[in-house]
Amino acid sequence: MVFVYSPIRREHGEIRLLRLEKPEDENDIIKSRLEYHSINQEHHTSEYHQWVAGLGHQESPNDRAEWEGTHPGKPRYNWGDFYALSYTWGSRDSPQTILVNDKKLVVTANLANALRTLRNTLEPGFYLWVDAVCINQANAVERGLEVSRMQLIYSRAIDTIIYLGSNDPAAEVGLKFVQATDGCWEDPAVLHENMLKYLEDAPLDIWDNIASLVRLPYWSRQWVMQEMAAGTREKAVYYGKSRTTSQLIWNVFRTFTERHRHDNAFSRAFWTAVEKHDDHLHRLLTVRSFDIPSSIGIREFAFTGVGRTKWSTTQLLSTARKNQATDPHDCVYGMLGLLDDAVVSKVVVDYDLDVATLYESFTKTLVEVEKNLEILGQCDVNGSPTWAPRFNVNYPYYRHLHHELEHPYNAHAGKPARASFEIRKAADGSPLPSVLKADAVILDRLDGLSTAMLETDYNNENHLYKGGYAEELVPSTHTHNAYGTEVNLREALWRTAGGNRNVVGEIPGPPEYAILLSTEVLEDQFHFNPFTPKNRPDTNPWAAWVRKNAELKLAGKKLVDYFQNAGLEELSDAARTERIRQGSNAVKRFTNACWSRRIAVTEKGYIAFVPWHAQKGDVVAVLPGCSFPALLREADETYSGGSQLHKFVSPCYVHGVMNGEIWSGVEEGRHKLEEIALV
């Protein structure tokens, strides 16, 4: 017989929980009982209630971990205790049947593998909460109600158990490397010595194996962020039957991606060990083309307690945009457990709601609750409306102005948004996307545009920049210089190339980055990267970009004519090495900031970087409540009264207005605030 669900009594704090039965033989079918229990705190045991009262603060995930460590196998509730399972459903091909209350229930193969592993590890009296089993997935109403409680469920679990998958031998070897680092993270010297010993006879493909672990589908799942955030830092992590902890994985992943963070002693210890082995260094640099998974890092970076984040909404949204969701509704619903209660309380989980309507409604909620327009940083010109993000679309159509962990700019000088929404209807009465009305300073229009680099132009296999470009150079027709002097314009140019940040994203970029405008960096034999083997061409996308755009004119003068000899050959070896190191960092920052973007000059002579799809004549505006300038484009339709409607194109960087400089001009009458209408 097929399993049939009974209703949940939510008014009593009830959830369904799965109790796995231990098998007599490993090949036995998975047998389980689905029970109904309340997770309200009045159902805690008296012993646990007294223990929590003695903490002197609100219970946190790490407190629950301490209870588990000091009271092993002792449940917190009168009926027992439970873990929440975090996993990816995986392919729906080759589904498997399990028994729930002696009835058949079909689940994905990946979930069956997870349950098969965990049925031998859970202590007596401990249950699992598993979304695919504990929620009636065929009932859209129940699904919406239970999704709205997921943050509560994960936060009430004693911890989260992570199942990464199975059947990838390379990823399993990568996990064994993670396990081998246990005991190395208390002292950088211990990590350094252990890495030196390990690399003496380690196979080169260990780095490929670790990359396979990082790239598992689990890490890109949208729901993982809030599931990770609710648990402790020492969550159990399984790959197949191999086990480690989330903290160890975080340590390894972070170290791989922080080679240039010299303030991190563990990263320094790791990389100085690797750099003693050229073959390992080259292999690691070749495969290390990944970001740290947002889900594994969010616990360390963002959270101080259950559901309480130090991150802004913008940071959370930017991070979540890297993830995947099978159902586009979950691009919003999968973040609710991370957002402020004032936002969450206004969102009704409804899987029958049109996706575009959901995204528009959610955007309105954010603007109205947070009183700012930072959400525009998530938008692109192909949205409908363009002021509402298409949360299910990532690069190349969407790319935020800077990394989510970097501090925002301050073009608005902290001024609050002055915005409202107006509902529109077509002539036949059918609804049209709403109009966002906001105050803005119209600064300028784009004039000249460079070519744009795309990520496909970089060959990760041999670390060579191939010099491919998107779009053609658009010549400038104006000769104005918004910075007054040529010296100031040169500074604006090299600062714009990196978004005026250093290699780790701190503002401002150091003056040493002016080496970008030295003639030496354009020479074929110039090596920015000291680790580039002498028999390989250097990785220097900046030089390749300059050659391609040498004819672009800024204030009537060709780009290439702004380059000067920096006199590197006249410096001592030590001084020259230091200047080259700074140059290497400047090129890395340029690559991060301008990848998929174009350097532009405006009609008034401002230097900017804009998205690859920007066009001559696009409007640059600065809005109260928005930390970055907005690039706008005139729409083909007019608003009531004949006023012009605009589309939002993208955030952009415009040197000279990123720190609120424009507002003194408003006070002095050189600029004016006016209402714009975005559609």
Side-chain angles (χ1 to χ4, degrees):
M1 296 180 63
V2 177
F3 179 77
V4 178
Y5 287 91
S6 299
I8 299 174
R9 298 182 301 168
R10 292 177 189 83
E11 67 275 14
H12 298 293
E14 195 173 77
I15 63 173
R16 298 188 186 100
L17 289 169
L18 192 68
R19 178 164 57 86
L20 295 172
E21 298 181 7
K22 292 188 181 297
E24 294 182 2
D25 184 88
E26 284 301 312
N27 295 319
D28 287 352
I29 190 172
I30 296 168
K31 298 178 181 178
S32 63
R33 309 299 299 179
L34 194 64
E35 302 178 9
Y36 294 71
H37 294 291
S38 173
I39 55 173
N40 286 348
Q41 293 177 349
E42 59 262 29
H43 291 277
H44 282 158
T45 64
S46 58
E47 183 180 6
Y48 185 70
H49 181 77
Q50 292 172 5
W51 186 84
V52 171
L55 294 174
H57 59 261
Q58 183 180 358
E59 178 196 28
S60 74
N62 289 325
D63 292 327
R64 295 196 293 275
E66 182 181 344
W67 165 269
E68 189 178 20
T70 56
H71 301 75
K74 196 167 251 188
R76 298 168 301 147
Y77 292 94
N78 292 321
W79 48 262
D81 216 326
F82 77 104
Y83 293 92
L85 181 64
S86 178
Y87 69 107
T88 179
W89 282 30
S91 172
R92 296 174 189 268
D93 297 335
S94 305
Q96 297 188 24
T97 299
I98 66 173
L99 294 181
V100 179
N101 298 352
D102 300 319
K103 306 293 193 305
K104 293 180 179 181
L105 184 69
V106 176
V107 299
T108 64
N110 193 55
L111 175 54
N113 290 337
L115 298 179
R116 194 168 285 110
T117 295
L118 296 175
R119 65 181 176 177
N120 289 313
T121 63
L122 292 180
E123 305 94 328
F126 281 72
Y127 298 76
L128 273 181
W129 189 86
V130 186
D131 62 345
V133 178
C134 298
I135 298 176
N136 183 356
Q137 299 292 330
N139 186 324
V141 174
E142 177 181 303
R143 186 180 168 206
L145 291 170
E146 291 302 280
V147 162
S148 66
R149 296 203 300 166
M150 281 185 65
Q151 193 276 335
L152 172 68
I153 293 170
Y154 275 87
S155 67
R156 293 286 173 86
I158 194 165
D159 206 352
T160 302
I161 294 176
I162 297 169
Y163 187 78
L164 298 177
S166 60
N167 302 323
D168 183 345
E172 191 156 7
V173 173
L175 192 73
K176 293 186 184 303
F177 175 88
V178 173
Q179 293 170 322
T181 68
D182 193 10
C184 295
W185 300 102
E186 297 296 325
D187 184 349
V190 173
L191 176 64
H192 183 76
E193 289 303 316
N194 276 273
M195 283 305 305
L196 287 176
K197 293 177 182 176
Y198 178 85
L199 293 174
E200 288 177 359
D201 55 5
L204 290 178
D205 63 1
I206 183 59
W207 311 117
D208 303 80
N209 296 329
I210 296 170
S212 295
L213 181 64
V214 177
R215 296 185 179 117
L216 287 173
Y218 172 87
W219 301 116
S220 62
R221 177 174 166 265
Q222 177 75 336
W223 285 100
V224 168
M225 285 180 61
Q226 71 171 17
E227 294 167 5
M228 289 283 292
T232 71
R233 292 178 177 174
E234 296 288 343
K235 290 177 282 292
V237 179
Y238 290 88
Y239 190 83
K241 295 184 178 180
S242 298
R243 173 175 171 162
T244 186
T245 69
S246 58
Q247 184 66 50
L248 279 178
I249 289 183
W250 159 247
N251 288 338
V252 172
F253 286 6
R254 177 186 59 180
T255 301
F256 275 24
T257 57
E258 289 191 340
R259 182 182 179 196
H260 301 287
R261 292 197 68 93
H262 301 290
D263 57 337
N264 186 311
F266 288 98
S267 293
R268 208 162 44 239
F270 173 83
W271 281 99
T272 52
V274 175
E275 287 163 3
K276 293 183 181 296
H277 299 267
D278 286 344
D279 51 350
H280 277 286
L281 177 63
H282 174 51
R283 188 62 166 266
L284 176 52
L285 291 176
T286 301
V287 303
R288 197 188 63 128
S289 57
F290 53 77
D291 289 328
I292 186 169
S294 54
S295 49
I296 191 70
I298 197 169
R299 173 83 240 170
E300 179 82 7
F301 273 126
F303 283 80
T304 55
V306 180
R308 294 295 176 261
T309 175
K310 297 182 291 184
W311 275 7
S312 67
T313 301
T314 297
Q315 289 175 305
L316 290 170
L317 295 178
S318 296
T319 302
R321 292 290 287 272
K322 301 173 184 177
N323 297 330
Q324 305 293 322
T326 303
D327 188 324
H329 293 84
D330 288 336
C331 294
V332 170
Y333 298 153
M335 295 187 294
L336 293 182
L338 306 175
L339 299 175
D340 188 88
D341 290 342
V343 173
V344 176
S345 65
K346 296 180 179 296
V347 178
V348 177
V349 179
D350 180 1
Y351 282 92
D352 291 328
L353 188 65
D354 175 73
V355 172
T357 302
L358 169 63
Y359 292 175
E360 181 177 335
S361 173
F362 181 63
T363 302
K364 287 181 180 178
T365 296
L366 290 176
V367 172
E368 291 167 354
V369 171
E370 300 194 337
K371 311 297 183 187
N372 65 53
L373 293 170
E374 291 298 296
I375 189 65
L376 291 177
Q378 307 290 323
C379 299
D380 71 89
V381 72
N382 294 308
S384 180
T386 60
W387 52 261
R390 298 185 295 163
F391 292 104
N392 59 331
V393 175
N394 206 332
Y395 180 85
Y397 298 103
Y398 157 76
R399 187 182 173 206
H400 200 270
L401 194 60
H402 54 80
H403 191 276
E404 59 268 15
L405 295 182
E406 297 175 357
H407 289 294
Y409 293 104
N410 191 34
H412 59 337
K415 296 182 182 296
R418 297 164 64 177
S420 62
F421 297 94
E422 188 166 310
I423 297 174
R424 297 191 304 158
K425 290 186 177 181
D428 61 1
S430 59
L432 293 172
S434 300
V435 169
L436 168 59
K437 296 191 294 184
D439 283 352
V441 175
I442 302 299
L443 177 69
D444 208 349
R445 290 179 180 270
L446 297 187
D447 186 18
L449 292 155
S450 76
T451 60
M453 297 182 295
L454 293 182
E455 292 188 2
T456 52
D457 299 327
Y458 192 76
N459 186 327
N460 289 319
E461 182 63 28
N462 57 19
H463 264 232
L464 296 182
Y465 177 72
K466 299 191 296 182
Y469 296 85
E471 310 301 330
E472 292 299 318
L473 185 148
V474 177
S476 56
T477 56
H478 295 75
T479 60
H480 301 296
N481 180 353
Y483 309 103
T485 68
E486 183 172 311
V487 171
N488 290 342
L489 191 148
R490 288 186 81 251
E491 181 175 354
L493 177 56
W494 67 256
R495 287 193 181 278
T496 299
N500 198 24
R501 296 177 185 265
N502 67 11
V503 72
V504 294
E506 299 164 337
I507 302 174
E512 290 82 2
Y513 283 14
I515 193 175
L516 284 176
L517 296 184
S518 67
T519 53
E520 290 95 327
V521 306
L522 303 181
E523 298 171 2
D524 290 336
Q525 71 273 19
F526 189 86
H527 283 258
F528 261 135
N529 188 348
F531 299 107
T532 300
K534 299 305 180 183
N535 62 346
R536 287 200 295 120
D538 193 27
T539 301
N540 191 346
W542 170 250
W545 177 86
V546 170
R547 292 189 186 102
K548 181 69 175 180
N549 293 281
E551 298 297 313
L552 178 67
K553 289 187 177 181
L554 313 173
K557 187 176 178 178
K558 293 180 181 179
L559 170 66
V560 72
D561 292 336
Y562 285 97
F563 283 69
Q564 300 173 357
N565 189 293
L568 295 183
E569 294 300 329
E570 300 173 7
L571 299 176
S572 66
D573 289 346
R576 185 175 186 275
T577 298
E578 175 58 22
R579 291 292 300 278
I580 291 175
R581 186 185 70 81
Q582 289 286 359
S584 176
N585 288 339
V587 168
K588 291 182 180 73
R589 185 64 209 180
F590 161 74
T591 304
N592 290 336
C594 288
W595 220 246
S596 79
R597 295 186 172 124
R598 312 167 82 170
I599 297 290
V601 58
T602 70
E603 293 178 356
K604 295 177 183 177
Y606 286 98
I607 309 297
F609 68 64
V610 295
W612 61 272
H613 50 80
Q615 297 176 7
K616 188 183 184 77
D618 283 346
V619 174
V620 177
V622 180
L623 289 70
C626 192
S627 62
F628 47 83
L631 194 65
L632 311 177
R633 185 171 300 159
E634 292 180 355
D636 295 332
E637 53 186 316
T638 56
Y639 194 39
S640 57
S643 58
Q644 179 66 53
L645 284 171
H646 286 86
K647 294 181 177 181
F648 180 85
V649 177
S650 173
C652 61
Y653 177 96
V654 182
H655 193 74
V657 303
M658 303 305 294
N659 198 35
E661 296 92 337
I662 200 171
W663 299 105
S664 61
V666 174
E667 295 171 0
E668 297 165 3
R670 290 182 286 109
H671 300 294
K672 67 174 183 177
L673 273 174
E674 56 186 281
E675 185 179 84
I676 61 171
L678 300 180
V679 65

